[in-house]
Amino acid sequence: MALLEIKKYPEKVLKQKTAPVIDINSSIQSLIDDMIETMYAAKGVGLAANQVGISKRLCVIDISAADEGIPLIVLINPDIIEKKGFVEEEEGCLSIPDYRAKVKRAKDVVVRALDRKGKPIEIAGGDLLARALQHEIDHLEGMLFVDRLSPIKREFFKKKFKKAMGNK
Ligand code: NI
């Protein structure tokens, strides 16, 4: 197992839609293991493959720090098949350090995917799990949470980001 480098905004790979995983082979298995290790080391609740520079439709989620009843989730080729309700909560991202903002998302979702053995699964999640699922699947579509902010908030984020870059 190895720690992977987490790509940061505005790296291009984060903006590109990922390609479906065709063959769940041993290199995908070791990528999954490395992503899990990388997510835990960074104290994140989720990580998408393109966040470590691999443009494949695959992500890992673990919200057990906040909700211990929910185990580690590995999703291959996930899709949201149902959305219900709306809720606005603060969100952050390992690819955008030191920035958090409120994002409006569906309160409940149902996701269809394959698990790491290639078995079809369906996961119904509410609240934090629903938010994590939507955040990670957005990543796989090439979308970051700042892309979901209102135009005014997004401008504020960009200015703050440029200022932070200028100070380095
Ligand atoms: Ni993220």
Side-chain angles (χ1 to χ4, degrees), residues 51 93 135 139:
Q51 285 184 278
C93 179
H135 180 111
H139 270 302

Side-chain angles (χ1 to χ4, degrees), residues 46 51 92-95 135-136 139 144-145:
Q51 285 184 278
C93 179
L94 294 175
S95 293
H135 180 111
E136 295 315 320
H139 270 302
L144 296 165
F145 82 94

